Amino acid sequence: MPDRVRRISGGGPYEDVTGYSRAVVVDGRVLVAGSTSAVDGDVLHVGDARAQAVEAFGVVGRALEQAGTDLAHVVRSRLYVVGPEHCDAVAAAHREVLGSVRPAATMVCVAALVHPDMLVEVEVEAVLPDGVAP
């Protein structure tokens, strides 16, 4: 099994502390961990759910590139949003970034995320394009 699994680090401070990978490539799929607008431990765009979602998609996009794919190959997205009042803004960001891709998507309202300034966390699954080795 180890030969079939490749782990990708995003370099974030929480990966080692928590013990996870930004993305895992297995069987032609790329599973990207929940991503937020935190960069180098600082939450960006405090109070702006749409901007936080776009920033999180940037984190996701960089992980996908490291894996050998991109946002155009996303087949599933999961959006965790703190409070229903932010859902329209997060949906707009999702449409902006993935509207032409139209992945299977889920949006869930949650009570809180790990940092009180975080309003959204994005998780995706993508496929590797033909010809890209896992």
Side-chain angles (χ1 to χ4, degrees):
M1 173 103 170
D3 296 334
R4 294 182 26 219
V5 177
R6 182 165 48 108
R7 297 176 201 305
I8 296 170
S9 173
Y14 301 113
E15 290 177 29
D16 286 337
V17 171
T18 307
Y20 74 96
S21 297
R22 172 61 44 211
V24 175
V25 182
V26 61
D27 296 332
R29 298 179 74 80
V30 183
L31 312 173
V32 181
S35 303
T36 67
S37 67
V39 177
D40 297 325
D42 295 322
V43 178
L44 304 181
H45 315 292
V46 174
D48 186 338
R50 186 198 154 284
Q52 284 192 14
V54 170
E55 191 75 41
F57 278 117
V59 172
V60 166
R62 289 187 291 279
L64 292 173
E65 287 174 13
Q66 283 184 269
T69 191
D70 56 31
L71 290 165
H73 290 87
V74 170
V75 295
R76 173 178 288 285
S77 61
R78 294 179 185 94
L79 307 163
Y80 303 95
V81 183
V82 177
E85 66 275 16
H86 299 295
C87 288
D88 287 346
V90 173
H94 188 274
R95 182 175 53 250
E96 177 183 327
V97 175
L98 294 174
S100 63
V101 178
R102 300 182 70 87
T106 301
M107 183 182 297
V108 178
C109 288
V110 296
L113 294 172
V114 70
H115 189 285
D117 290 334
M118 292 177 179
L119 298 175
V120 62
E121 187 162 342
V122 174
E123 180 182 325
V124 306
E125 296 179 29
V127 294
L128 292 174
D130 290 338
V132 173

